[in-house]
Amino acid sequence: MDIKIVKVILWPKKLGETRREINFNGNKINVIVGDSQTGKSSIIPIVDYCFGSNKCAIPVGPIRDCTQWFGILVKHNNTHILLCRKEPGVNYSTSEMYYDEGTKLNIPQQILQSNRTSKEVVNRLNQLSRLPNLDFSDNELDKKAYEERPSFKDFLAFCFQPQHIIANPYTLFYKADTIEHRFKLQTIFPLALGLIRNETLEHQKRQKLLKDEYRRLQGILEEKKKIKNAWDAEIKANYLQALELGILKNVPFPEDDWKLEDYVFHLSQILRPNQILSPQYTEGLSSRIIAYKTRLEKKEKGLLDDIDDRKYRLHQIRNFNEITLGYRSAVQSQRGRLELAYNGWLKEKLKSENTCPVCGSIHEKGNKDIHQLIKISENLNSKLANLNETRGLLDKEATILEREIAEVEKTLNNVRNELENLGRQNEQIEKQQRSIENTYRYIGRIEQNLKNLNEINEDSNLMMRLQELSLEIERLQILINQTNNKHLEEDVLKRISQNIILYKEILKVENFSNPTRLDIKELTLRISSPKTGKEDYLWEIGSGSNWMGFHISTLLAIHEFCLSLKLNNHVPSFIFLDQPSQAYFPEAIKDNEQAQKDSDDLVRVKAIFQAVAEFRKRTNRKVQVIILEHASHDIWGDIKGTQLIDNARWDKDNALIPESWFSE
């Protein structure tokens, strides 16, 4: 995708201040040289943010504190596009954007007003990139985030090499250190390298739709064939059942040599439901039977309640008799001890004198006690008599209750027998009715099966459609295989590997000639050793300078190859390299120009710019390169095609954020 960065623009929060612009040349190697903490490394996240990234990675602090809007002016073919995005404040990002597009644009001087959302801007960039409006998933109901349609933002992974990535042995591409972006990059990599094209995705999507239709129609056909096969196996039994139900009239008994067609012919004469005589019922009979049955059920319940009541009373009588039996025994025992008083002997002897009948002594007081005993004895006799009378009455009542219970139980049995007879009669009626219903159902099932059999024999359109679908699916598969095959992938990776070696040599990577293969599934490099025959991953290779060399070589090789894809090239044609010299200059001398000049690594730092210059020569300057550096202009300034941005080194007086933007 032919797109170049023309300007990076910042609008201040402080009123009265003019906007800050950093201008870039599309035909030069643009270099921003600056001290630490001057804002040069923030250029990458600013550009990324304006291209619609999900999160704002612009560092918090002076840059975000002083800037109201961030913007970039880009050139796409002959059209200019202004992309601006509001500073998100305390949020991770904001969807507020300002978008303008045209051959000539006027950049607003003052604070902007949003006229687009970030989603709308990304959709427009997707159109300009000619990205397919199709996703990578075959399952619409369970689609993963990384299987969604490719986005312009995804291809920025090949454009940015920030400071923490450019010499990282474990992460080769921008944002590939997060799971979400790693999966998405693995998914879109074949599209980036032309292994899958827009047409291929369209063919795959259409093929999936055709396969779904083929499976649906084939399912219908298989279901009909199952019916036919089932009738082949059970046709005689079905025919005999139809005869037994009486729904076939004047047809012959089946012969052993009958075929399916013979059975079908005679079954087609099956009686219609309106031709079958149904049993006649007396009007209102069912209602009367139900009412009578209801009365019987109510009577049954009353009899059960009556039996329960009498059983309860009988239980109470028998329980009372058991209790009085013990009381009567105690009274009889007490009366036995007063036998002399009871039989009247003491009473007879004490009629006229107070003389003791035993010893002959006179006891006036004793006679009173003896009279009291006689009175108690007479009271006990009265209680025994009452108990005997009560027990007799209760025994009689118990006998009556037992007889009544037996009579009610007899009545209950009669009611239940009558209910049972009614139930059997009703069951026979229902059984007869179900038999009629089953017959109707059987007729309907035979008619449907005959219809399905007829459709199988006559519906040639279904077979023709299946044949057409099969041919179209096969044709699409051929087209897919032409652009999506292992041989093509091997050829592409081989071409990229050859260019990686070319740039490794310029960058003076150790053992540069060792075959180096891009692994698009693992998103890393595999380096072969001719001596051992073993392949080592990038993280197994030592030295920061080597890691940096592999990173830059890979990025340049990928861009060089993608240019050959022409209309199918979706990778934006610019590269940002942030402080590639960090692998050579330690932190202690990054801001010391004299120390840099005295360092043995000067030649290797210069080789970075030489490799980029060779890349631009090989690609006819079709890819813009922007380098953010600590290394002094004196180290690389004589390389043809380089341009120092702002014509000066960035420092505290000349930084991304002007000193005047800070509030006083």
Side-chain angles (χ1 to χ4, degrees):
M1 178 187 183
D2 182 18
I3 186 168
K4 306 289 194 304
I5 309 297
V6 179
K7 295 177 184 286
V8 170
I9 313 165
L10 282 68
W11 282 266
K13 290 182 179 180
K14 188 176 180 180
L15 297 178
E17 295 292 332
T18 58
R19 66 178 185 267
R20 171 80 159 100
E21 293 186 3
I22 300 96
N23 297 289
F24 299 98
N25 190 322
N27 294 318
K28 299 283 187 178
I29 302 174
N30 300 268
V31 187
I32 296 178
V33 177
D35 299 338
S36 298
Q37 300 180 350
T38 54
K40 62 183 182 301
S41 291
S42 298
I43 298 296
I44 289 178
I46 288 174
V47 174
D48 187 33
Y49 186 58
C50 292
F51 274 131
S53 64
N54 295 332
K55 293 181 181 180
C56 178
I58 303 170
V60 295
I63 298 176
R64 288 175 61 169
D65 292 342
C66 297
T67 306
Q68 183 75 16
W69 282 79
F70 299 95
I72 55 174
L73 179 67
V74 301
K75 186 178 181 182
H76 172 60
N77 296 330
N78 295 319
T79 302
H80 284 86
I81 302 171
L82 181 62
L83 303 134
C84 308
R85 197 167 182 185
K86 192 173 183 180
E87 194 274 324
V90 297
N91 300 316
Y92 286 115
S93 66
T94 177
S95 63
E96 293 184 68
M97 291 194 69
Y98 177 87
Y99 181 90
D100 197 7
E101 181 178 347
T103 54
K104 292 183 179 181
L105 297 179
N106 292 320
I107 300 175
Q109 293 289 342
Q110 304 301 323
I111 296 176
L112 307 170
Q113 294 295 325
S114 173
N115 64 357
R116 295 287 191 279
T117 65
S118 56
K119 184 177 181 180
E120 291 171 338
V121 169
V122 171
N123 286 338
R124 176 56 179 155
L125 293 173
N126 291 342
Q127 294 175 351
L128 296 175
S129 302
R130 293 192 176 90
L131 286 170
N133 191 21
L134 299 169
D135 53 54
F136 294 92
S137 175
D138 291 333
N139 189 345
E140 294 295 331
L141 298 178
D142 188 26
K143 182 164 54 179
K144 307 294 188 302
Y146 57 85
E147 293 177 328
E148 294 178 351
R149 64 163 295 187
S151 168
F152 173 87
K153 297 185 297 181
D154 301 328
F155 294 87
L156 292 176
F158 307 108
C159 299
F160 298 132
Q161 282 283 298
Q163 186 177 0
H164 70 285
I165 295 290
I166 198 166
N168 190 327
Y170 302 102
T171 305
L172 187 60
F173 297 102
Y174 181 59
K175 291 186 178 180
D177 50 347
T178 63
I179 296 297
E180 175 188 357
H181 290 92
R182 181 178 180 84
F183 283 163
K184 190 60 182 284
L185 184 55
Q186 289 171 333
T187 305
I188 63 107
F189 221 129
L191 182 62
L193 298 183
L195 302 175
I196 296 178
R197 298 179 180 175
N198 295 3
E199 313 88 78
T200 306
L201 288 177
E202 293 171 0
H203 294 333
Q204 288 176 337
K205 189 63 66 174
R206 171 153 178 77
Q207 187 187 57
K208 179 185 179 299
L209 295 174
L210 295 180
K211 285 181 177 180
D212 290 342
E213 184 182 0
Y214 185 89
R215 284 192 291 268
R216 182 181 64 82
L217 296 179
Q218 194 175 42
I220 295 174
L221 183 61
E222 290 299 323
E223 188 63 30
K224 292 181 178 181
K225 287 182 177 180
K226 286 180 182 178
I227 296 172
K228 181 177 180 180
N229 293 336
W231 271 51
D232 278 338
E234 302 177 9
I235 189 66
K236 186 173 183 179
N238 285 312
Y239 189 83
L240 292 175
Q241 186 175 3
L243 289 175
E244 185 179 356
L245 291 172
I247 55 177
L248 282 176
K249 301 294 185 181
N250 303 321
V251 295
F253 197 82
E255 302 291 342
D256 292 338
D257 59 348
W258 274 21
K259 298 180 180 179
L260 177 64
E261 291 75 14
D262 299 316
Y263 287 102
V264 170
F265 172 77
H266 293 298
L267 281 172
S268 63
Q269 305 175 47
I270 195 169
L271 294 178
R272 300 295 177 264
N274 58 5
Q275 297 174 308
I276 300 175
L277 296 177
S278 302
Q280 301 297 314
Y281 297 100
T282 303
E283 294 183 6
L285 178 61
S286 297
S287 297
R288 292 197 296 273
I289 291 175
I290 292 173
Y292 182 65
K293 182 179 179 183
T294 302
R295 289 197 298 273
L296 286 178
E297 290 173 343
K298 184 176 180 181
K299 184 176 181 181
E300 178 189 29
K301 185 178 183 303
L303 291 171
L304 287 170
D305 293 340
D306 200 4
I307 290 173
D308 289 340
D309 181 62
R310 283 173 167 78
K311 284 183 177 180
Y312 177 76
R313 288 161 54 194
L314 180 60
H315 172 72
Q316 293 294 98
I317 290 171
R318 288 175 175 171
N319 190 44
F320 181 77
N321 281 342
E322 288 295 326
I323 295 173
T324 57
L325 183 62
Y327 180 66
R328 184 172 179 275
S329 176
V331 172
Q332 285 178 336
S333 176
Q334 189 175 4
R335 194 192 69 167
R337 291 195 293 272
L338 299 172
E339 183 66 28
L340 291 177
Y342 168 74
N343 60 21
W345 180 78
L346 285 175
K347 184 178 181 182
E348 184 65 27
K349 291 298 184 180
L350 298 174
K351 281 183 178 180
S352 59
E353 64 270 356
N354 297 327
T355 304
C356 177
V358 180
C359 65
S361 301
I362 297 174
H363 300 282
E364 295 180 1
K365 184 179 179 181
N367 286 344
K368 292 180 181 180
D369 294 336
I370 290 173
H371 280 296
Q372 184 67 28
L373 289 174
I374 292 171
K375 186 181 288 187
I376 293 172
S377 177
E378 290 174 350
N379 187 32
L380 289 174
N381 286 336
S382 176
K383 286 183 177 181
L384 282 173
N386 289 335
L387 285 172
N388 290 333
E389 182 181 359
T390 301
R391 183 176 178 83
L393 292 173
L394 291 176
D395 287 344
K396 182 179 180 180
E397 179 68 17
T399 302
I400 293 172
L401 285 172
E402 288 175 347
R403 186 168 58 251
E404 288 177 350
I405 290 172
E407 290 175 357
V408 176
E409 287 177 341
K410 182 178 179 180
T411 304
L412 177 63
N413 287 334
N414 292 335
V415 171
R416 285 182 168 174
N417 287 334
E418 193 170 356
L419 281 170
E420 186 177 351
N421 290 333
L422 281 175
R424 281 198 295 268
Q425 293 175 11
N426 187 58
E427 184 179 350
Q428 290 176 354
I429 293 172
E430 290 179 353
K431 184 176 181 180
Q432 186 178 21
Q433 184 65 25
R434 286 197 300 271
S435 177
I436 296 297
E437 292 175 357
N438 289 339
T439 301
Y440 289 162
R441 290 194 187 97
Y442 188 74
I443 291 173
R445 187 163 64 249
I446 289 179
E447 289 178 340
Q448 184 61 45
N449 288 339
L450 289 173
K451 181 180 178 181
N452 291 337
L453 286 171
N454 186 55
E455 289 177 355
I456 293 172
N457 294 330
E458 295 181 1
D459 190 6
S460 59
N461 291 334
L462 179 61
M463 299 295 295
M464 289 178 60
R465 179 56 180 161
L466 285 170
Q467 186 175 7
E468 290 174 359
L469 289 172
S470 179
L471 292 173
E472 181 63 12
I473 290 170
E474 185 178 351
R475 185 186 73 83
L476 290 172
Q477 189 61 51
I478 293 173
L479 295 176
I480 292 169
N481 291 339
Q482 288 176 351
T483 58
N484 186 17
N485 60 70
K486 200 66 180 176
H487 296 297
L488 177 62
E489 180 179 328
E490 289 294 331
D491 179 61
V492 168
L493 294 179
K494 183 178 179 180
R495 290 171 59 186
I496 293 175
S497 296
Q498 291 172 345
N499 288 339
I500 289 176
I501 293 175
L502 182 149
Y503 292 116
K504 281 199 303 177
E505 182 178 6
I506 300 173
L507 288 163
K508 304 185 183 304
V509 174
E510 294 179 2
N511 301 314
F512 66 85
S513 61
N514 287 355
T516 303
R517 178 180 178 83
L518 175 63
D519 190 329
I520 62 175
K521 292 182 178 179
E522 295 296 330
L523 302 181
T524 189
L525 298 174
R526 292 190 294 177
I527 302 97
S528 300
S529 172
K531 294 181 179 179
T532 63
K534 178 178 176 294
E535 277 191 332
D536 297 313
Y537 286 102
L538 178 61
W539 60 78
E540 297 179 287
I541 303 297
S543 172
S545 61
N546 286 329
W547 298 330
M548 180 277 300
F550 280 115
H551 275 252
I552 295 179
S553 298
T554 302
L555 209 62
L556 299 180
I558 289 175
H559 274 267
E560 182 174 341
F561 171 78
C562 288
L563 286 174
S564 67
L565 299 176
K566 298 180 180 179
L567 293 179
N568 290 307
N569 177 21
H570 307 296
V571 177
S573 56
F574 61 83
I575 298 174
F576 278 83
L577 304 177
D578 186 11
Q579 302 186 73
S581 67
Q582 64 179 295
Y584 302 109
F585 294 134
E587 194 68 32
I589 65 170
K590 278 186 177 180
D591 298 326
N592 189 324
E593 293 188 18
Q594 187 59 44
Q596 293 175 13
K597 293 177 181 179
D598 295 339
S599 172
D600 294 334
D601 292 330
L602 287 179
V603 175
R604 295 191 178 188
V605 172
K606 192 171 184 177
I608 297 172
F609 294 86
Q610 291 172 335
V612 173
E614 177 64 21
F615 164 74
R616 285 179 52 75
K617 178 181 176 182
R618 289 171 59 87
T619 58
N620 197 25
R621 300 188 300 279
K622 291 183 178 180
V623 180
Q624 181 184 35
V625 179
I626 300 172
I627 302 177
L628 314 172
E629 256 300 346
H630 271 291
S632 173
H633 175 260
D634 295 340
I635 299 174
W636 47 265
D638 60 344
I639 294 178
K640 186 178 180 180
T642 59
Q643 172 180 299
L644 179 63
I645 302 299
D646 288 344
N647 293 317
R649 183 184 185 92
W650 285 12
D651 54 28
K652 64 179 182 178
D653 297 322
N654 177 36
L656 179 65
I657 303 298
E659 187 70 26
S660 60
W661 283 22
F662 293 92
S663 299
E664 296 179 358

